Amino acid sequence: MRALMKAAVLAAAAAGLTAPVAAQDYPSGDIRYILHVKPGGATDVMARRLADGLQKALGVNVVVENRDGGSGARQMAQLARAKPDGQTIGSVTASHLGMFLQSNTFDADSVTWACNMVLDPYLLAVRPDSGIDSLADLVKKAKAAPGELSVAGFGEASGGQVAWQMFADSAKLGDGDINWVPYSSVGDAVVATLGGHNDIAIAYTDLVQQHVKAGTLKVIGVMSTERLPKFPDAQTYAEAGYPVDTTWQQFRGIVMPAETPAEIQDALCGTVQEVMQTPEMVKYIEDSDLVPGFMGHEEFTEFVHAQDEAAKTWTAKLGIASN
């Protein structure tokens, strides 16, 4: 496959499309894949599966490094110091958008948006003994005892917090009716909810399905246009009477240092797309109720900037000042 990629670049050059010399030999060695999350979460699990597939396809090592902290700021610092040669790549999710809005250092133009892989609908999960069997129960309980319930998710101004605020607004929940508790990963938020430290977790299928199967968690609502196959009894927000903008979903993609040539982005992401279509990854996507959503760098960049504008709107509603 590496030879095919090399041939494609050479063919483009022969057709009169000048490609940087670096792209002709890409990749030239091991690839660093820097993640913004701790090990064990949904983004980490998917990244490691992708890294395995890329190693086989490209014939080079893909070294995964976890650089969690600052909702992605620590990872961004690593990417900012890397050469724009495609040998260093990073994970990216909607949660980066909140970090950008609060950062004096990074914004959506600090990286190159190489490609997106999947979309991952948000969902709300509770313990079976919570006394909450539906979204309507959740809203009723919150309004009866303002401030007594808490929802756990990833970070401040994260994609998950924005998704939660969308539901809260639709349900006409006021400030303080339910407390937001940020964690350094969605996995930690789920564990905290399992342990009784919080009442609700906003998460994804991959992180809760084993607990649902074990009877220790229950999904009460999904932020999607349709019910999720893994949780057919869980209503969509709209079905429960709380319509939200379901285009706001967690996305999982790849970024590169700013000014990475388009030819290199295309070279890597062409292989990423092929890996995502292998039987192993297709099964993983189906098992995790992920939505295939591959986008190349032009489409992904346009998509992200639209999401960035939405993030600005909702960050303002959250009362979190942006820089």
Side-chain angles (χ1 to χ4, degrees), residues 43-111:
T43 297
D44 177 80
V45 170
M46 181 171 178
R48 291 179 184 277
R49 288 175 178 268
L50 177 64
D52 288 343
L54 289 175
Q55 285 190 162
K56 295 174 184 176
L58 296 173
V60 299
N61 293 322
V62 179
V63 182
V64 176
E65 302 178 15
N66 296 87
R67 294 289 185 267
D68 57 295
S71 297
R74 186 181 176 207
Q75 173 214 40
M76 284 290 117
Q78 294 279 322
L79 289 169
R81 290 193 289 268
K83 294 180 180 179
D85 57 6
Q87 298 300 135
T88 302
I89 65 176
S91 61
V92 69
T93 68
S95 294
H96 280 80
L97 302 179
M99 181 272 291
F100 291 149
L101 294 176
Q102 298 179 80
S103 174
N104 290 314
T105 306
F106 306 111
D107 59 27
D109 295 321
S110 296
V111 290

Coordinates of all heavy atoms in Angstrom, one line a residue, residues 43-111:
T43 N -11.7 7.4 22.9 CA -10.8 7.9 21.9 C -9.4 7.2 21.9 O -8.9 6.8 20.9 CB -10.5 9.4 22.2 OG1 -11.7 10.2 22.1 CG2 -9.4 10.0 21.3
D44 N -9.0 6.8 23.1 CA -7.7 6.0 23.2 C -7.9 4.6 22.6 O -7.0 4.2 21.8 CB -7.4 5.9 24.7 CG -6.1 5.0 24.9 OD1 -5.0 5.5 24.7 OD2 -6.3 3.8 25.3
V45 N -9.0 4.0 22.9 CA -9.2 2.6 22.3 C -9.2 2.6 20.8 O -8.6 1.8 20.1 CB -10.5 2.0 22.9 CG1 -10.9 0.7 22.2 CG2 -10.4 1.8 24.4
M46 N -10.0 3.6 20.3 CA -10.1 3.7 18.8 C -8.7 4.0 18.2 O -8.4 3.5 17.1 CB -11.1 4.7 18.4 CG -11.3 4.8 16.9 SD -12.7 5.8 16.4 CE -12.5 5.7 14.6
A47 N -8.0 4.9 18.8 CA -6.7 5.4 18.3 C -5.8 4.2 18.2 O -5.0 4.0 17.2 CB -6.2 6.5 19.1
R48 N -5.8 3.4 19.2 CA -4.8 2.2 19.3 C -5.2 1.2 18.2 O -4.3 0.6 17.6 CB -4.8 1.6 20.7 CG -4.1 2.6 21.7 CD -4.0 2.1 23.1 NE -3.5 3.1 23.9 CZ -2.2 3.3 24.1 NH1 -1.3 2.6 23.4 NH2 -1.7 4.3 24.9
R49 N -6.5 1.0 18.0 CA -6.9 0.1 16.9 C -6.5 0.6 15.6 O -6.0 -0.1 14.7 CB -8.4 -0.1 17.0 CG -8.9 -1.0 18.2 CD -10.4 -1.0 18.2 NE -10.9 -1.8 19.3 CZ -11.2 -3.1 19.2 NH1 -11.0 -3.7 18.1 NH2 -11.6 -3.8 20.3
L50 N -6.7 1.9 15.4 CA -6.3 2.5 14.1 C -4.7 2.4 13.9 O -4.3 2.2 12.8 CB -6.7 4.0 14.1 CG -6.3 4.8 12.8 CD1 -6.9 4.2 11.6 CD2 -6.6 6.3 13.0
A51 N -4.0 2.7 15.0 CA -2.5 2.6 14.9 C -2.1 1.3 14.5 O -1.1 1.1 13.7 CB -1.9 3.0 16.3
D52 N -2.7 0.2 15.0 CA -2.3 -1.1 14.6 C -2.6 -1.3 13.1 O -1.7 -1.9 12.4 CB -3.2 -2.2 15.4 CG -2.8 -2.3 16.8 OD1 -1.6 -1.8 17.2 OD2 -3.5 -2.8 17.6
G53 N -3.7 -0.8 12.6 CA -4.0 -1.0 11.2 C -3.0 -0.2 10.3 O -2.6 -0.6 9.3
L54 N -2.7 1.0 10.8 CA -1.7 1.9 10.0 C -0.3 1.2 10.0 O 0.3 1.3 8.9 CB -1.6 3.3 10.6 CG -2.9 4.2 10.5 CD1 -2.7 5.5 11.2 CD2 -3.1 4.5 9.0
Q55 N 0.1 0.6 11.1 CA 1.4 0.0 11.1 C 1.5 -1.1 10.0 O 2.4 -1.2 9.3 CB 1.7 -0.6 12.5 CG 2.0 0.4 13.5 CD 2.5 -0.3 14.8 OE1 3.1 0.4 15.6 NE2 2.3 -1.5 15.0
K56 N 0.4 -1.9 9.9 CA 0.4 -3.0 9.0 C 0.4 -2.5 7.5 O 1.0 -3.0 6.6 CB -0.8 -3.9 9.2 CG -0.8 -4.6 10.5 CD -2.2 -5.4 10.8 CE -2.2 -6.0 12.1 NZ -3.5 -6.7 12.4
A57 N -0.4 -1.4 7.3 CA -0.6 -0.9 6.0 C 0.7 -0.1 5.5 O 1.0 -0.2 4.3 CB -1.8 0.0 5.9
L58 N 1.3 0.7 6.4 CA 2.4 1.5 6.0 C 3.8 0.9 6.2 O 4.7 1.4 5.6 CB 2.3 2.8 6.8 CG 1.1 3.7 6.6 CD1 1.1 4.9 7.6 CD2 1.1 4.2 5.2
G59 N 3.9 -0.1 7.0 CA 5.1 -0.8 7.3 C 6.1 0.0 8.1 O 7.3 -0.2 8.1
V60 N 5.5 0.9 9.0 CA 6.3 1.7 9.9 C 5.6 1.6 11.3 O 4.4 1.3 11.4 CB 6.5 3.2 9.5 CG1 7.2 3.3 8.2 CG2 5.1 3.9 9.5
N61 N 6.4 1.8 12.4 CA 5.8 1.9 13.7 C 4.9 3.1 13.8 O 5.3 4.2 13.4 CB 6.9 1.9 14.8 CG 7.6 0.6 14.8 OD1 7.1 -0.5 14.6 ND2 8.9 0.7 15.0
V62 N 3.8 3.0 14.5 CA 2.9 4.1 14.8 C 2.9 4.1 16.4 O 2.2 3.2 17.0 CB 1.5 4.0 14.2 CG1 0.7 5.2 14.6 CG2 1.6 3.9 12.7
V63 N 3.6 5.0 17.0 CA 3.8 5.0 18.4 C 2.7 5.9 19.0 O 2.7 7.2 18.8 CB 5.2 5.5 18.7 CG1 5.4 5.5 20.3 CG2 6.2 4.7 18.0
V64 N 1.8 5.4 19.8 CA 0.8 6.1 20.5 C 1.3 6.7 21.8 O 1.9 6.0 22.6 CB -0.4 5.2 20.8 CG1 -1.5 6.0 21.6 CG2 -1.0 4.7 19.5
E65 N 1.1 8.0 22.0 CA 1.6 8.7 23.2 C 0.4 9.4 23.8 O -0.3 10.2 23.1 CB 2.7 9.7 22.9 CG 3.9 9.1 22.3 CD 4.9 10.2 21.9 OE1 4.8 11.3 22.4 OE2 5.9 9.9 21.1
N66 N 0.1 9.2 25.1 CA -1.0 9.9 25.8 C -0.4 11.1 26.4 O 0.5 11.1 27.3 CB -1.6 9.0 26.9 CG -2.3 7.8 26.2 OD1 -1.7 6.7 26.0 ND2 -3.6 7.9 26.0
R67 N -0.9 12.3 26.0 CA -0.5 13.6 26.6 C -1.7 14.3 27.0 O -2.1 15.4 26.5 CB 0.3 14.4 25.5 CG 1.6 13.8 25.1 CD 2.7 13.9 26.3 NE 4.0 13.4 25.8 CZ 4.4 12.1 26.0 NH1 3.5 11.2 26.6 NH2 5.6 11.7 25.6
D68 N -2.4 13.7 28.0 CA -3.7 14.4 28.5 C -3.3 15.6 29.4 O -2.3 15.7 29.9 CB -4.5 13.3 29.2 CG -3.7 12.7 30.4 OD1 -2.8 12.0 30.2 OD2 -4.1 13.0 31.6
G69 N -4.3 16.5 29.5 CA -4.1 17.6 30.3 C -4.6 18.9 29.5 O -4.3 19.1 28.4
G70 N -5.3 19.7 30.3 CA -5.8 21.0 29.7 C -6.8 20.8 28.6 O -6.9 21.7 27.7
S71 N -7.6 19.7 28.6 CA -8.6 19.4 27.6 C -8.0 19.4 26.2 O -8.6 19.8 25.2 CB -9.7 20.4 27.6 OG -10.4 20.3 28.9
G72 N -6.7 19.1 26.1 CA -6.0 19.0 24.8 C -4.9 20.0 24.6 O -4.1 19.9 23.6
A73 N -4.7 20.9 25.5 CA -3.7 22.0 25.4 C -2.3 21.4 25.5 O -1.4 21.8 24.8 CB -3.9 23.0 26.5
R74 N -2.1 20.4 26.4 CA -0.8 19.7 26.5 C -0.4 19.0 25.2 O 0.7 19.1 24.7 CB -0.8 18.7 27.6 CG 0.6 18.2 27.9 CD 0.6 17.2 29.0 NE 1.9 16.5 29.2 CZ 2.0 15.3 29.8 NH1 1.0 14.6 30.2 NH2 3.2 14.8 29.9
Q75 N -1.4 18.4 24.6 CA -1.2 17.7 23.3 C -0.9 18.7 22.2 O 0.0 18.5 21.4 CB -2.4 16.9 22.9 CG -2.4 16.3 21.5 CD -3.8 16.3 20.8 OE1 -4.5 17.2 21.0 NE2 -4.1 15.2 20.2
M76 N -1.6 19.8 22.2 CA -1.4 20.9 21.2 C 0.0 21.4 21.2 O 0.6 21.8 20.2 CB -2.4 22.0 21.4 CG -3.8 21.7 20.9 SD -4.0 21.6 19.1 CE -4.4 19.9 18.9
A77 N 0.5 21.6 22.4 CA 1.9 22.1 22.6 C 2.9 21.2 21.9 O 3.9 21.6 21.3 CB 2.2 22.2 24.1
Q78 N 2.7 19.8 22.0 CA 3.5 18.9 21.4 C 3.4 19.0 19.9 O 4.4 19.0 19.1 CB 3.1 17.5 21.8 CG 3.4 17.1 23.3 CD 4.8 16.8 23.6 OE1 5.5 16.1 22.8 NE2 5.3 17.3 24.7
L79 N 2.2 19.1 19.3 CA 2.0 19.2 17.9 C 2.6 20.5 17.4 O 3.2 20.6 16.2 CB 0.5 19.2 17.6 CG -0.1 17.8 17.7 CD1 -1.6 18.0 17.6 CD2 0.4 16.8 16.7
A80 N 2.5 21.6 18.2 CA 3.1 22.9 17.7 C 4.6 22.9 17.5 O 5.1 23.6 16.7 CB 2.7 24.0 18.7
R81 N 5.3 22.0 18.3 CA 6.7 21.9 18.2 C 7.2 20.9 17.1 O 8.4 20.9 16.8 CB 7.3 21.5 19.5 CG 7.2 22.5 20.6 CD 8.1 22.2 21.8 NE 7.5 21.1 22.6 CZ 6.7 21.2 23.6 NH1 6.3 22.4 24.0 NH2 6.3 20.1 24.3
A82 N 6.2 20.2 16.6 CA 6.6 19.1 15.6 C 6.7 19.7 14.2 O 6.1 20.7 13.8 CB 5.6 18.0 15.6
K83 N 7.5 19.1 13.4 CA 7.7 19.5 12.0 C 6.4 19.2 11.2 O 5.8 18.1 11.4 CB 8.9 18.8 11.3 CG 10.2 19.2 11.9 CD 11.3 18.4 11.2 CE 12.7 18.7 11.8 NZ 13.8 18.0 11.1
P84 N 6.1 20.0 10.2 CA 4.9 19.7 9.4 C 5.1 18.7 8.3 O 4.9 19.0 7.1 CB 4.5 21.1 8.9 CG 5.8 21.8 8.8 CD 6.6 21.3 9.9
D85 N 5.6 17.5 8.7 CA 6.0 16.5 7.7 C 5.2 15.3 7.8 O 5.5 14.3 7.1 CB 7.5 16.2 7.9 CG 7.8 15.7 9.3 OD1 6.9 15.5 10.1 OD2 9.1 15.5 9.5
G86 N 4.1 15.3 8.6 CA 3.3 14.1 8.7 C 3.8 13.0 9.6 O 3.1 12.0 9.8
Q87 N 5.0 13.2 10.1 CA 5.5 12.1 11.0 C 5.0 12.2 12.4 O 5.1 11.3 13.2 CB 7.0 12.2 11.0 CG 7.7 12.0 9.7 CD 7.4 10.6 9.1 OE1 7.1 10.5 7.9 NE2 7.4 9.6 9.9
T88 N 4.3 13.4 12.7 CA 3.6 13.5 14.0 C 2.2 13.9 13.7 O 1.9 14.8 13.0 CB 4.3 14.7 14.8 OG1 5.6 14.4 15.1 CG2 3.6 14.8 16.2
I89 N 1.3 13.1 14.3 CA -0.2 13.3 14.1 C -0.8 13.3 15.5 O -0.2 12.9 16.5 CB -0.8 12.3 13.2 CG1 -0.8 10.9 13.9 CG2 -0.1 12.2 11.8 CD1 -1.5 9.8 13.1
G90 N -2.1 13.8 15.5 CA -2.7 13.9 16.8 C -4.2 13.5 16.7 O -4.8 13.6 15.6
S91 N -4.8 13.0 17.8 CA -6.2 12.7 17.9 C -6.9 14.1 18.0 O -6.3 15.0 18.6 CB -6.5 11.8 19.1 OG -6.1 12.5 20.3
V92 N -8.2 14.1 17.6 CA -8.9 15.3 17.8 C -10.4 15.0 18.0 O -10.9 14.0 17.3 CB -8.7 16.3 16.6 CG1 -9.4 15.8 15.4 CG2 -9.3 17.7 17.0
T93 N -11.1 15.6 18.9 CA -12.5 15.5 19.1 C -13.2 16.8 19.3 O -12.5 17.9 19.3 CB -12.8 14.6 20.3 OG1 -12.4 15.3 21.5 CG2 -12.0 13.3 20.3
A94 N -14.5 16.8 19.4 CA -15.2 18.1 19.6 C -14.7 18.8 20.9 O -14.9 20.1 21.0 CB -16.7 17.8 19.7
S95 N -14.2 18.1 21.8 CA -13.8 18.8 23.1 C -12.6 19.8 22.9 O -12.4 20.7 23.7 CB -13.3 17.7 24.1 OG -14.5 16.9 24.5
H96 N -11.9 19.6 21.8 CA -10.8 20.6 21.5 C -11.4 22.0 21.3 O -10.7 23.0 21.6 CB -10.0 20.2 20.3 CG -9.0 19.1 20.5 ND1 -9.3 17.8 20.6 CD2 -7.6 19.2 20.7 CE1 -8.2 17.1 20.8 NE2 -7.2 18.0 20.9
L97 N -12.6 22.0 20.8 CA -13.2 23.3 20.4 C -13.4 24.2 21.7 O -13.1 25.4 21.6 CB -14.5 23.1 19.7 CG -14.4 22.3 18.4 CD1 -15.8 22.2 17.8 CD2 -13.4 23.0 17.4
G98 N -13.8 23.6 22.8 CA -13.9 24.3 24.0 C -12.6 24.8 24.5 O -12.5 26.0 25.0
M99 N -11.6 24.0 24.4 CA -10.2 24.4 24.8 C -9.7 25.6 24.0 O -9.2 26.5 24.5 CB -9.3 23.2 24.7 CG -7.9 23.5 25.2 SD -6.8 24.1 23.8 CE -6.7 22.7 22.8
F100 N -10.0 25.5 22.7 CA -9.5 26.6 21.8 C -10.1 28.0 22.3 O -9.5 29.0 22.3 CB -9.9 26.4 20.4 CG -9.2 25.2 19.7 CD1 -9.8 24.5 18.7 CD2 -7.9 24.9 20.1 CE1 -9.1 23.4 18.1 CE2 -7.2 23.9 19.5 CZ -7.8 23.1 18.5
L101 N -11.4 27.9 22.6 CA -12.1 29.1 23.0 C -11.6 29.8 24.3 O -11.8 31.0 24.5 CB -13.6 28.9 23.1 CG -14.3 28.5 21.8 CD1 -15.8 28.1 22.1 CD2 -14.2 29.6 20.8
Q102 N -11.0 28.9 25.1 CA -10.5 29.5 26.4 C -8.9 29.7 26.4 O -8.4 30.2 27.3 CB -10.8 28.5 27.5 CG -12.3 28.2 27.7 CD -12.5 27.2 28.8 OE1 -12.5 27.6 30.0 NE2 -12.8 26.0 28.5
S103 N -8.3 29.3 25.3 CA -6.9 29.4 25.2 C -6.4 30.7 24.7 O -6.9 31.3 23.8 CB -6.3 28.2 24.3 OG -5.0 28.3 24.1
N104 N -5.3 31.2 25.3 CA -4.6 32.3 24.7 C -3.5 31.9 23.7 O -2.9 32.8 23.1 CB -3.9 33.1 25.9 CG -4.9 33.8 26.7 OD1 -5.8 34.5 26.3 ND2 -4.7 33.7 28.1
T105 N -3.3 30.6 23.5 CA -2.2 30.1 22.7 C -2.7 29.4 21.5 O -2.1 29.6 20.4 CB -1.4 29.1 23.5 OG1 -1.0 29.8 24.8 CG2 -0.2 28.7 22.8
F106 N -3.8 28.6 21.6 CA -4.2 27.8 20.5 C -5.6 28.1 20.0 O -6.5 28.6 20.8 CB -4.2 26.3 20.9 CG -2.9 25.9 21.4 CD1 -2.7 25.5 22.7 CD2 -1.7 25.8 20.6 CE1 -1.5 25.1 23.2 CE2 -0.5 25.4 21.1 CZ -0.4 25.0 22.4
D107 N -5.9 27.9 18.7 CA -7.2 28.0 18.2 C -7.4 27.0 17.0 O -6.5 26.2 16.8 CB -7.5 29.5 17.7 CG -6.6 30.0 16.6 OD1 -6.0 29.1 15.9 OD2 -6.4 31.2 16.5
A108 N -8.5 27.1 16.3 CA -8.8 26.1 15.3 C -7.8 26.2 14.1 O -7.7 25.2 13.4 CB -10.2 26.3 14.8
D109 N -7.1 27.3 14.0 CA -6.1 27.4 12.9 C -4.7 27.0 13.4 O -3.7 27.1 12.6 CB -6.1 28.8 12.4 CG -7.4 29.2 11.7 OD1 -8.0 28.3 11.0 OD2 -7.8 30.3 11.9
S110 N -4.6 26.5 14.6 CA -3.3 26.1 15.1 C -2.8 24.7 14.6 O -1.6 24.3 14.7 CB -3.3 26.0 16.7 OG -3.5 27.3 17.2
V111 N -3.7 24.0 14.0 CA -3.4 22.7 13.4 C -4.0 22.5 12.1 O -4.9 23.4 11.6 CB -4.0 21.5 14.3 CG1 -3.2 21.5 15.6 CG2 -5.5 21.7 14.6

